[in-house]
Amino acid sequence: MGRVEAMRILVTVKHVPDLQSQRSFTDGRVTRTADDGTMNELDEHAVEAALQLVEAAGEGEVYALTVGGADAVAAVRKALQLGVQHAIHVTDEAIADSDVFGTAEVIAAAVRTVHAEAPLDLIITGMAALDGLTSMLPTALAAELDWSQATLASAVSVADGEVTVERHLADSHETLVAPLPAVVSVTDEANKPRYPNFKLIMAARKAPVTEWSLADLGVDPASVGKAGARTVVVDASPAPPRENRVKITDTGDAGTRLADFLIEKGLA
Amino acid sequence: MTTVAVLIDHRAGVVTRPALEALTLARSLGTPVAVWLGERPSADAAALLGDYGATEVRAVEADARLSAHAATALGAASEDADVVVVISTFVTKEIVTRLAMATGAGVVVDAAGAAMVDGRVETVQTVFAATWNVRTRIESARAIVGIRPNTTQAVPADAAAAATLVPITVELPEIRERVTHVEPGEADEGVPLAEAPVVVSGGRGTGGDYTLVTELAELLGGAVGASRDATDEGWISHEHMVGQTGTTVTPALYVAAGISGAVHHRGGMQASGTIVSINMDPDAPIFEISDFGVVGSLFDVIPQAIERIKEHRAG
Ligand SMILES: Cc1cc2nc3c(=O)[nH]c(=O)nc-3n(C[C@H](O)[C@H](O)[C@H](O)COP(=O)(O)OP(=O)(O)OC[C@H]3O[C@@H](n4cnc5c(N)ncnc54)[C@H](O)[C@@H]3O)c2cc1C
Ligand SMILES: Nc1ncnc2c1ncn2[C@@H]1O[C@H](COP(=O)(O)O)[C@@H](O)[C@H]1O
């Protein structure tokens, strides 16, 4: 292993409806309420990966960044509770209804601003936002910044100016090495996120959150949000419930009845 | 007529069924041309693509696994296409993200279908663990659609198309990342999970014994799936994990044996055709979404079901 220097990492965290809540759409938009919104569960793994890398280096700092409406600040507050040092909330009316490319443009602009103050080594994202589940943002961000990319990491380490990740792909397992600075997305296998401790929870309440608008970042409002979106939701409706559901309790012949059900349906 | 470029999914030169599904979908959107990355396709492979309507097979030598290379290659082979269709996987999502950034195309991934409406592509998707259906319109002139396996039925064209082989050369960009080690996954036994017409999954309730689950899967011509807890235990390898962070499956039949039905798991299977579950706990959430639920032990129920199906087949 080579020499490890102080690490500077930015983690992206998204505010999404809680998985356990009744998620829905209103007027083609994901319904967001302050009550059942939370930091995207998969981003906890991104925060944890960043904290562990800084701890391994012995020195460094972590920024948490979220892009979203007023209530999205809860996502960076959660990251503060977990132990990141800095929180940034990019919010602007013009951002609403952005597609992945708009979001990537805004995040890239914020990253450039932080990077200009002092260079970042890594951006770590979750593998997917659990509202849309597109998993496109990490690649879009790497392309936008022209940084190297290492996605879907189930393990991450840094040495000698390079990041090494392990990736499980559908048909293989690979090790990928990318020079810093890099955009890394981590899976939920990468680590076990820590729980916030009481001291951090108290401190997070009072910790400052930097708030930036599009003007602060020099982003043209016309290129993001609804104005810049290349796709638009034209209809969203609850899926009809499954009809004629059957539930039986095994009293000795349930296997046969199950088989008969499959045979009758032409499935066996 | 709209030209629709279809990125052909192939396994070491063998065209996969999802690729034929994508060509079938492409025919409903316009005139399909196949895009083939990697070593040139065999005559048989090209002919098969023709059977499903590909007028051309545009072959580019590029590694489909390196998203920056694949995006450049796909872009060069689809310059005249208004629509690009790919099979939605983690790898193709990265490819189309880069392609869209280069071309300004609008993208929908994980679509369950697509149609032309007033000169624009509209897609359907199921979201929030298949509890909502969403229709999305791609407003930009160029559209990219990532389609989920098993959402279109592959049907050959009425008349085979020419499938003329068109080699395309392109300068691939320098990339900084390097793959230093590759370990192939488990040897291909049977149908890959994502495209299997039947999936039989076992969870913690199997106690680690996949014999019955595997036997039922084989009998039904399907693939073996698993919950996250089972793969975490090391009972079965990661490739088998079904769920929002594993593989999303939409088979005609999904059997969940000894799986509680956590929202994370449901997110990866709830859009399946028929859902059958076997669970000892009458209150297991999996029953909420099961067409046929059995409260009982999989160790009793599966062997009996196997026996009955075999009996039935024997006539
Ligand atoms: C960020 C995150 C992402 C996740 N992603 C995924 C994912 O993609 N996929 C996924 O599957 N999980 C995922 N999980 C885990 C998920 O939350 C559940 O913990 C997991 O799905 C539970 O697995 P299980 O159903 O096998 O185990 P359990 O929940 O323990 O259920 C076992 C079931 O087996 C039943 N049982 C026991 N014995 C028998 C028997 N003899 N016969 C019949 N039934 C029996 C029990 O009644 C019980 O209902 C994720 C979790 C997190 C936090
Ligand atoms: N609005 C956002 N603000 C901050 N991070 C985001 C936002 N959208 C996406 N991300 C990050 O990108 C990852 C992948 O999201 P997605 O590509 O939307 O599935 C998430 O896990 C987040 O880390």
Side-chain angles (χ1 to χ4, degrees):
Chain A
M1 287 290 271
R3 196 165 64 93
V4 182
E5 289 170 32
M7 296 278 307
R8 280 171 49 84
I9 304 175
L10 183 141
V11 180
T12 56
V13 293
K14 188 174 185 184
H15 189 247
V16 299
D18 192 322
L19 276 185
Q20 312 293 348
S21 70
Q22 285 292 337
R23 296 179 289 172
S24 64
F25 282 82
T26 312
D27 300 330
R29 268 188 205 175
V30 175
T31 314
R32 296 183 191 280
T33 60
D35 303 340
D36 54 18
T38 160
M39 176 165 105
N40 176 34
E41 203 174 49
L42 291 169
D43 294 342
E44 290 180 27
H45 299 273
V47 172
E48 181 64 34
L51 294 172
Q52 286 186 11
L53 285 171
V54 166
E55 283 158 9
E59 212 183 319
E61 48 194 350
V62 181
Y63 291 78
L65 170 91
T66 193
V67 175
D71 52 357
V73 71
V76 286
R77 289 251 178 246
K78 174 78 191 271
L80 286 166
Q81 292 179 1
L82 293 169
V84 309
Q85 286 76 34
H86 310 280
I88 302 167
H89 178 201
V90 182
T91 186
D92 197 304
E93 265 174 31
I95 293 174
D97 294 327
S98 287
D99 63 9
V100 56
F101 307 108
T103 306
E105 187 178 337
V106 174
I107 295 181
V111 165
R112 285 191 197 100
T113 305
V114 177
H115 194 60
E117 283 165 20
L120 288 163
D121 299 295
L122 282 178
I123 296 170
I124 305 184
T125 78
M127 70 178 282
L130 292 176
D131 50 355
L133 276 177
T134 74
S135 297
M136 287 168 64
L137 186 103
T139 303
L141 189 57
E144 183 83 38
L145 291 166
D146 194 23
W147 288 14
S148 51
Q149 113 180 31
T151 51
L152 302 173
S154 56
V156 194
S157 58
V158 171
D160 300 324
E162 294 185 317
V163 58
T164 300
V165 305
E166 301 294 325
R167 315 174 75 209
H168 289 295
L169 299 173
D171 55 357
S172 62
H173 180 100
E174 70 178 30
T175 309
L176 185 128
V177 180
L180 304 179
V183 178
V184 172
S185 78
V186 295
T187 74
D188 52 342
E189 288 183 298
N191 52 48
K192 222 176 154 339
R194 66 195 63 187
Y195 293 103
N197 66 36
F198 182 71
K199 222 176 86 199
L200 283 172
I201 292 175
M202 295 313 287
R205 272 194 204 153
K206 287 186 234 110
V209 174
T210 305
E211 199 178 294
W212 282 333
S213 65
L214 290 184
D216 292 329
L217 297 174
V219 173
D220 176 6
S223 68
V224 302
K226 204 178 182 89
R230 305 173 194 177
T231 53
V232 58
V233 171
V234 287
D235 184 57
S237 46
R242 288 176 185 268
E243 306 250 323
N244 305 321
R245 293 191 295 116
V246 178
K247 185 173 162 193
I248 62 170
T249 301
D250 188 17
T251 50
D253 63 349
T256 306
R257 292 170 68 188
L258 168 57
D260 287 341
F261 170 81
L262 295 177
I263 291 163
E264 191 191 314
K265 283 226 149 199
L267 291 166
Chain B
M1 190 73 183
T2 310
T3 299
V4 184
V6 179
L7 178 61
I8 299 300
D9 185 48
H10 63 88
R11 230 166 265 120
V14 179
V15 176
T16 65
R17 199 165 49 87
L20 302 179
E21 295 169 1
L23 277 173
T24 306
L25 176 74
R27 290 206 308 272
S28 71
L29 302 173
T31 308
V33 298
V35 177
W36 183 282
L37 304 189
E39 278 177 35
R40 295 270 173 89
S42 66
D44 282 355
L48 179 61
L49 300 175
D51 289 343
Y52 281 79
T55 54
E56 293 178 10
V57 181
R58 299 176 179 174
V60 199
E61 278 194 30
D63 187 347
R65 297 167 59 123
L66 298 171
S67 67
H69 279 184
T72 304
L74 177 57
S78 63
E79 269 169 7
D80 59 339
D82 309 292
V83 183
V84 174
V85 176
V86 303
I87 292 295
S88 208
T89 65
F90 283 120
V91 174
T92 60
K93 283 177 180 184
E94 297 189 2
I95 297 172
V96 300
T97 302
R98 286 189 181 267
L99 179 62
M101 305 229 359
T103 64
V107 186
V108 173
V109 294
D110 290 332
M116 277 297 197
V117 180
D118 302 330
R120 287 287 181 267
V121 175
E122 285 192 10
T123 61
V124 288
Q125 297 147 271
T126 59
V127 302
F128 295 160
T131 57
W132 282 73
N133 296 327
V134 172
R135 217 148 43 81
T136 304
R137 183 174 169 83
I138 302 180
E139 300 273 19
S140 44
R142 301 188 61 149
I144 303 178
V145 178
I147 185 95
R148 275 191 177 154
N150 273 324
T151 52
T152 304
Q153 198 181 347
V155 180
D158 292 336
T164 315
L165 187 69
V166 182
I168 291 179
T169 46
V170 60
E171 191 153 335
L172 297 172
E174 290 242 357
I175 51 172
R176 310 180 192 91
E177 303 84 0
R178 46 184 214 285
V179 174
T180 57
H181 183 72
V182 182
E183 230 165 85
E186 278 183 1
D188 254 356
E189 316 138 12
V191 223
L193 192 55
E195 58 197 73
V198 173
V199 174
V200 182
S201 288
R204 184 171 288 288
T206 63
D209 184 352
Y210 275 76
T211 320
L212 289 171
V213 167
T214 307
E215 200 181 323
L216 183 60
E218 278 170 5
L219 187 66
L220 299 174
V224 174
S227 70
R228 168 73 189 276
D229 282 28
T231 57
D232 276 357
E233 289 284 353
W235 293 342
I236 185 161
S237 67
H238 180 87
E239 293 93 76
H240 295 276
M241 186 173 89
V242 171
Q244 63 186 18
T245 53
T247 303
T248 297
V249 298
T250 35
L253 171 65
Y254 188 85
V255 181
I259 290 180
S260 60
V263 63
H264 304 101
H265 188 80
R266 296 211 303 257
M269 46 65 71
Q270 196 157 345
S272 302
T274 298
I275 298 175
V276 165
S277 57
I278 307 160
N279 196 306
M280 304 253 269
D281 173 7
D283 298 323
I286 192 78
F287 287 127
E288 292 162 19
I289 57 158
S290 299
D291 297 289
F292 195 94
V294 178
V295 182
S297 170
L298 66 97
F299 295 102
D300 300 329
V301 176
I302 295 183
Q304 202 180 65
I306 288 173
E307 198 184 329
R308 173 80 185 112
I309 293 167
K310 283 185 176 163
E311 241 173 57
H312 167 77
R313 288 191 185 166

